[in-house]
Amino acid sequence: MYTSPQSEQFHQQVWSKYHLYNSVFITLPFDAIDNTGALLPLFNEACAKGLQQQMTPEAIVTAFATKYLERSDAETVVPLLFRFIQYVERQIVLFDAIEDAAFASLNNLEGTGSLREIKERCDTAERQQQLQEFLQRFRVRTVLTAHPTQFYPGAVLGIITDLTEALRNNDLHQIKQLLAQLGKTRFIKKEKPTPYDEAVSLIWYLENVFYNTTGLILQHLNSTSNTSDFQGQPVIQLGFWPGGDRDGNPFVTPEITGQVAQRLRTSILKCYYTDIRKLKRKLTFTEVDVIVAKIEHQLYRSVFYSQGELYIGLSELIADLQAIKALLIDKHQALYVDEVQELLCKVHTFGFHFATLDIRQNSAIHNQVVAAVVRYLGQPSYLEGDEKSKINQLPAVQGKVESSAFESPIVMQTLASIEVMQTIQNQNGELGCNRYIISNNESALNVLETLAMFRWVGWENPSVDIVPLFESVDDFQQAAAIMEQLYQHPEYREHLERRSKTQTVMLGFSDGTKDGGYLMANWSIFKAKEAITAMSRKYGIEVVFFDGRGGPPARGGGKTHKFYASLGSGIEHKEIQLTVQGQTISSNFGTPDSCRFNLENLVSAGISNGLFAKKEHDLTVADQAIIDELAQVGYEKYLSFKNHPQFIPYLEHRSTLNYYAKTNIGSRPAKRKAADQLDFADLRAIPFVGSWSQMKQNVPGFFGVGTALDAFDKVGRWGEVQALYQHSLFFRTLLENSMMALAKSFFPLTQYLQHDPEFGSFWESIHEEFLLTKKLLLKIAGHHELMENYPEGIASIKMREAIVLPLLVIQQFALMQIQQIKQGKGDAAWLDTYEKLVIRSLFGNTNASRNSA
């Protein structure tokens, strides 16, 4: 049987090493009862065989206990299940570290998608000049968010980093010590993190990974394009949401926002100080050494002795570095000039802000704030009009307010968050905090009232971009018309003139998929981008799209670089902006190799789409008509499913949905409102997608896709979708990402639910759609198994699923016990313990999938 080189490499670098080091790990004694490691492989085997034989999770656990334990009562079994969870969690960490250590071997860092490859492509096509011009206006912005999909505490992340390095060096002694340390390190946070805690955790990645990796990439781009420093617009920028994302998070206060901005500035100054210390050992030449010593002293005082005071300004630091560079070239044969140039690239990119702190709030909250302000200003009649009259009256609502004048915490803090933006800009520069994002934006009025709030707090002509975030299918369809209203509005037009005629628009994959299903959400966003692009070009506005993408395909994840390379000429492409969160940060950007690989892929995707996209590869009218039909059929299937009377009860009573709020993994509540009754509209996308993932059903990533394809097959139109798949990178990427969702599904885990008297038929409907989607996606791709064209990817998924299988069975076992207790069939004294078992298993299940929520 043929084995691909990628599969062989994965087997050598990951599979064999994992089994070697896992054999060391499971023999380490971590508690008084040291047979856990010996029993775990037996339990894993029992789970696999039991599910093959269609046993229920309860029957699997009972049979295992009867065979291997002296007693099979809860007092004996449940403690062992908790210990199994502790072991499996650490096995997942070991696997993560091994994969990270092997990243450069498994991925060609100089191959397709790398800067080297795209430069060679430009050289071959004689487009060097076009590349230089494109890089002067193009940029990638990765925005780190604190959405709770990362369950590792800081201590564990540190062990992963050290373990990865030890594995890369094959240091067996160090590996064994770190595995022992891992076994004794707590995985669970006793208290919820504050937004500031979340910020500090993510700043670790900025300092230890993004800072140096970005510098290397920018230096390479400089030498590639023969430009100097990219002073006008750095090609790579970083964004930051912890401490600024107030949407649904009452714990993000203006004070927290200010503290996070201060921490970002301190962190970047520390990075500069470290680099200057290294340069000082090399730049020992006359004149140069004096300037270096001066910079070192000023940065040191600014970092370690400052109470918010700076002893060196950004422009002064740049001028001093440029003076050093000039002296090296003129008098010292350009010795070490590359190192100085790299630091200059970093300073131009990160300034004194490191990453731009975005402020985000929901339009529903703004409605409350506007109502309070206009009443305070003595103009309550404004509230009586419809949207059109309000837009006309808004410029006449004049006056100044201070946040402290209001008793309502939500009004006071919303206005204070605007005030703190101005303070941050004064301290860290404009890029420190210059974007205000409006969640659930449904109208032009939402944007105009937000701009008015800046005027009301006394910030005339704010140096801030107002960013509408469109999230539902209806909003996507209305987005272009809303933007036209804004472009035609005199006051907003003046604002855009001051902002270089540039408008950023954010589009939310997560809530879009939750609202309209996989096909309709993705297609609606594509069409919204085309319509907004055309509308913006009509009014001479350059639109920038900011994508709210999560880890899994259901939230806009998957093969991100292929997605951006596929958009075509009808969508503005001068910038790529996207959110990165949870495990996606640690898995895609957690090490220098993976960070470089994925950042370069994004830059390369932008260049490819900007310089090599051919109009004949754009979707034709006929192509769009086909996808319209597919999306509509899929949408109707998803809507009937979402509106099923058992939809919410199924999630509430058969999934882990209710347990996300009980995990201390994020500062933000699981629901936007505190009501006891579960309202689908208030349900956040992460627990929604995550709950399906925990059940290994991944509904949001495929439901409706099979039905849509089948509709064409039934009427003899399969050739149309097959041809579209062959020639459209967009459509192919869309379906390939759905294949990933299918590959991470595992219905044998919950097959016992087909016999459930309440939810049996509902489970069957999900399973039928899964089987149909799998069958037709394999058919259209010409594959025998899912993700056949990504052998190392499917190998990784299979290994992760095998490692985590005991946790999946334990979780379903615990959910079954909880249901029995609630039905009066079990011992109520064990309810709290079984709920803890669900929560504990939830951590490892999510970490193992890496992009599951």
Side-chain angles (χ1 to χ4, degrees):
M1 182 177 177
Y2 171 73
T3 303
S4 71
Q6 297 99 317
S7 297
E8 184 64 31
Q9 192 79 343
F10 183 88
H11 187 275
Q12 292 176 4
Q13 297 294 328
V14 179
W15 188 90
S16 56
K17 283 190 176 182
Y18 171 75
H19 287 287
L20 170 65
Y21 293 119
N22 184 53
S23 66
V24 174
F25 172 71
I26 62 175
T27 59
L28 295 173
F30 295 124
D31 49 45
I33 306 171
D34 60 5
N35 65 340
T36 308
L39 288 172
L40 179 57
L42 299 173
F43 182 64
N44 198 319
E45 183 181 4
C47 291
K49 288 184 177 179
L51 292 175
Q52 285 178 359
Q53 296 167 9
Q54 298 191 1
M55 294 171 64
T56 69
E58 183 180 33
I60 291 170
V61 172
T62 301
F64 174 81
T66 302
K67 184 174 183 179
Y68 293 105
L69 304 180
E70 293 182 2
R71 292 166 26 206
S72 57
D73 54 86
E75 288 83 357
T76 302
V77 173
V78 172
L80 178 63
L81 297 181
F82 274 110
R83 294 201 301 275
F84 280 163
I85 290 173
Q86 291 173 332
Y87 266 70
V88 175
E89 282 178 329
R90 287 153 178 80
Q91 287 178 320
I92 294 164
V93 168
L94 172 61
F95 187 78
D96 282 347
I98 290 171
E99 273 206 322
D100 287 343
F103 189 90
S105 300
L106 298 175
N107 300 273
N108 185 355
L109 300 184
E110 305 296 340
T112 302
S114 69
L115 293 181
R116 177 188 293 273
E117 185 265 344
I118 199 69
K119 181 181 182 300
E120 290 174 352
R121 193 174 171 192
C122 289
D123 289 345
T124 302
E126 296 185 350
R127 293 192 175 185
Q128 298 93 334
Q129 183 62 35
Q130 287 177 271
L131 174 62
Q132 291 182 35
E133 293 170 358
F134 184 79
L135 289 174
Q136 290 299 317
R137 62 180 186 272
F138 173 74
R139 70 178 165 194
V140 167
R141 182 189 293 223
T142 53
V143 181
L144 308 189
T145 78
H147 293 343
T149 61
Q150 173 59 268
F151 293 74
Y152 292 139
V156 175
L157 288 173
I159 294 172
I160 293 175
T161 300
D162 295 340
L163 185 57
T164 300
E165 186 63 25
L167 287 162
R168 192 178 286 120
N169 297 328
N170 292 313
D171 187 339
L172 182 58
H173 175 72
Q174 181 71 359
I175 291 168
K176 193 169 182 177
Q177 282 196 319
L178 288 166
L179 290 175
Q181 180 187 351
L182 186 66
K184 294 178 177 293
T185 300
R186 184 188 299 274
F187 269 50
I188 303 304
K189 301 169 183 175
K190 289 186 177 181
E191 298 178 355
K192 275 184 175 290
T194 67
Y196 185 76
D197 294 333
E198 292 172 330
V200 170
S201 295
L202 290 190
I203 287 172
W204 184 92
Y205 289 101
L206 297 182
E207 293 176 339
N208 293 281
V209 183
F210 280 94
Y211 176 74
N212 285 317
T213 304
T214 301
L216 290 171
I217 292 174
L218 293 173
Q219 175 73 335
H220 182 74
L221 285 172
N222 276 344
S223 61
T224 295
S225 61
N226 300 315
T227 60
S228 177
D229 304 334
F230 292 113
Q231 296 180 35
Q233 176 170 282
V235 176
I236 297 174
Q237 290 192 342
L238 301 177
F240 206 73
W241 274 21
D245 183 7
R246 294 180 51 80
D247 180 20
N249 193 339
F251 307 113
V252 177
T253 64
E255 292 74 22
I256 289 287
T257 304
Q259 291 169 17
V260 171
Q262 179 64 38
R263 180 61 181 258
L264 284 165
R265 187 178 75 174
T266 301
S267 295
I268 191 59
L269 292 176
K270 282 182 180 178
C271 290
Y272 295 156
Y273 175 72
T274 300
D275 275 356
I276 282 292
R277 290 276 296 174
K278 293 176 182 176
L279 278 173
K280 187 180 179 182
R281 297 189 63 175
K282 298 179 178 180
L283 302 181
T284 52
F285 321 130
T286 304
E287 294 185 71
V288 174
D289 58 346
V290 176
I291 305 176
V292 172
K294 172 201 164 200
I295 296 174
E296 180 198 17
H297 177 67
Q298 290 172 321
L299 287 173
Y300 183 83
R301 292 189 68 191
S302 298
V303 171
F304 299 106
Y305 284 94
S306 170
Q307 297 296 323
E309 183 180 356
L310 287 176
Y311 294 90
I312 185 171
L314 179 59
S315 58
E316 181 184 357
L317 175 59
I318 291 172
D320 284 344
L321 289 173
Q322 288 175 332
I324 291 171
K325 179 181 173 183
L327 284 169
L328 293 177
I329 293 171
D330 294 342
K331 299 184 178 182
H332 302 288
Q333 294 78 48
L335 194 58
Y336 299 126
V337 74
D338 286 344
E339 286 91 330
V340 176
Q341 179 60 46
E342 184 179 329
L343 180 53
L344 264 169
C345 287
K346 293 174 180 176
V347 174
H348 281 304
T349 298
F350 302 125
F352 279 6
H353 64 281
F354 212 160
T356 299
L357 188 58
D358 289 342
I359 305 297
R360 183 170 76 130
Q361 185 55 282
N362 197 288
S363 63
I365 299 298
H366 287 175
N367 293 339
Q368 299 177 40
V369 176
V370 170
V373 171
V374 296
R375 289 192 183 103
Y376 181 87
L377 294 175
Q379 301 181 55
S381 60
Y382 168 82
L383 302 173
E384 298 171 3
D386 58 14
E387 181 182 339
K388 184 177 180 181
S389 67
K390 284 181 178 179
I391 288 176
N392 292 331
Q393 292 179 50
L394 190 58
V397 182
Q398 296 291 329
K400 297 287 189 293
V401 299
E402 292 185 0
S403 59
S404 58
F406 297 88
E407 293 184 3
S408 165
I410 195 66
V411 175
M412 182 268 290
Q413 292 194 6
T414 301
L415 295 175
S417 68
I418 294 175
E419 294 169 346
V420 81
M421 290 181 76
Q422 196 166 22
T423 301
I424 293 170
Q425 287 197 12
N426 291 335
Q427 294 176 343
N428 295 8
E430 182 186 317
L431 286 175
C433 189
N434 70 342
R435 304 206 306 185
Y436 195 110
I437 300 165
I438 311 165
S439 296
N440 193 33
N441 193 98
E442 298 177 327
S443 68
L445 182 63
N446 290 154
V447 177
L448 295 171
E449 286 184 337
T450 303
L451 182 60
M453 286 195 294
F454 281 82
R455 171 163 49 83
W456 292 331
V457 299
W459 195 354
E460 298 287 347
N461 303 329
S463 49
V464 172
D465 295 323
I466 311 295
V467 182
L469 166 51
F470 300 106
E471 300 183 74
S472 71
V473 171
D474 287 343
D475 292 341
F476 296 149
Q477 294 170 350
Q478 298 299 319
I482 290 172
M483 297 315 300
E484 182 170 34
Q485 277 185 278
L486 291 171
Y487 296 155
Q488 290 177 338
H489 192 273
E491 183 184 3
Y492 196 75
R493 183 78 191 193
E494 287 179 16
H495 171 70
L496 289 179
E497 293 283 346
R498 294 191 298 271
R499 302 303 295 164
S500 304
K501 295 184 180 180
T502 300
Q503 172 68 54
T504 301
V505 174
M506 188 173 181
L507 300 160
F509 279 79
S510 303
D511 287 289
T513 307
K514 180 169 77 80
D515 176 54
Y518 182 76
L519 281 178
M520 180 58 81
N522 278 274
W523 182 233
S524 296
I525 288 172
F526 184 95
K527 290 199 297 183
K529 285 185 174 182
E530 283 199 324
I532 295 170
T533 296
M535 191 64 69
S536 300
R537 288 171 178 173
K538 173 183 174 182
Y539 287 91
I541 302 299
E542 184 171 297
V543 69
V544 174
F545 292 112
F546 177 23
D547 293 316
R549 301 172 72 86
R555 300 187 58 234
K559 299 294 181 181
T560 303
H561 61 282
K562 289 184 70 174
F563 166 82
Y564 282 112
S566 73
L567 294 181
S569 60
I571 293 175
E572 205 65 78
H573 54 256
K574 292 178 182 176
E575 293 193 25
I576 290 176
Q577 296 193 14
L578 73 162
T579 54
V580 187
Q581 60 198 40
Q583 320 97 305
T584 311
I585 297 174
S586 56
S587 61
N588 288 4
F589 301 94
T591 66
D593 283 341
S594 63
C595 185
R596 176 195 157 192
F597 178 82
N598 285 292
L599 280 179
E600 286 196 10
N601 266 265
L602 287 173
V603 173
S604 177
I607 295 171
S608 178
N609 195 35
L611 298 186
F612 295 100
K614 297 179 180 179
K615 290 220 170 182
E616 56 264 32
H617 290 167
D618 287 357
L619 292 169
T620 65
V621 173
D623 292 338
Q624 297 210 16
I626 292 171
I627 303 179
D628 268 331
E629 286 188 61
L630 288 167
Q632 189 59 41
V633 173
Y635 183 52
E636 290 170 2
K637 177 70 173 179
Y638 179 78
L639 278 186
S640 67
F641 174 68
K642 188 178 76 170
N643 294 330
H644 193 287
Q646 288 183 316
F647 184 86
I648 293 295
Y650 182 78
L651 284 175
E652 282 192 292
H653 303 301
R654 294 295 183 268
S655 83
T656 59
L657 180 65
N658 292 327
Y659 298 95
Y660 270 83
K662 299 178 182 180
T663 57
N664 294 325
I665 56 171
S667 67
R668 196 167 66 166
K671 295 190 295 183
R672 286 186 169 88
K673 296 178 183 176
D676 292 333
Q677 186 71 27
L678 179 62
D679 187 330
F680 182 79
D682 291 329
L683 181 61
R684 291 196 174 278
I686 287 172
F688 174 72
V689 173
S691 297
W692 291 112
S693 174
Q694 292 285 317
M695 298 177 79
K696 292 299 167 186
Q697 293 181 4
N698 290 329
V699 161
F702 72 81
F703 202 90
V705 175
T707 296
L709 292 172
D710 192 46
F712 273 69
D713 198 18
K714 282 180 176 177
V715 296
R717 298 177 62 190
W718 182 258
E720 295 178 43
V721 291
Q722 184 71 65
L724 182 62
Y725 180 86
Q726 296 298 333
H727 75 255
S728 168
L729 179 59
F730 169 79
F731 187 60
R732 189 161 62 253
T733 301
L734 193 65
L735 296 191
E736 283 183 352
N737 283 341
S738 189
M739 287 185 206
M740 184 186 296
L742 294 177
K744 292 187 176 184
S745 297
F746 184 61
F747 277 82
L749 176 70
T750 55
Q751 62 195 346
Y752 70 93
L753 287 174
Q754 65 187 312
H755 306 298
D756 189 290
E758 184 178 0
F759 297 109
S761 62
F762 190 75
W763 182 91
E764 285 283 7
S765 68
I766 300 171
H767 188 222
E768 287 170 5
E769 183 67 17
F770 167 81
L771 292 175
L772 180 62
T773 306
K774 179 179 178 181
K775 169 189 165 187
L776 294 179
L777 286 183
L778 289 175
K779 178 180 178 180
I780 202 169
H783 293 169
H784 296 291
E785 67 171 10
L786 296 168
M787 294 180 64
E788 190 176 297
N789 52 334
Y790 298 105
E792 74 285 0
I794 194 63
S796 175
I797 289 172
K798 287 180 177 178
M799 273 203 73
R800 288 179 178 277
E801 298 301 325
I803 293 168
V804 84
L805 184 62
L807 295 196
L808 298 172
V809 172
I810 289 170
Q811 185 179 91
Q812 289 297 316
F813 163 78
L815 288 170
M816 293 180 76
Q817 302 309 303
I818 291 167
Q819 286 307 309
Q820 290 181 20
I821 291 171
K822 289 183 176 180
Q823 293 168 6
K825 300 176 183 177
D827 187 349
W830 282 89
L831 179 62
D832 183 60
T833 301
Y834 285 126
E835 288 187 333
K836 287 180 180 176
L837 203 57
V838 172
I839 294 168
R840 289 291 285 107
S841 60
L842 190 149
F843 293 94
N845 291 344
T846 299
N847 285 331
S849 298
R850 282 207 163 184
N851 65 354
S852 61

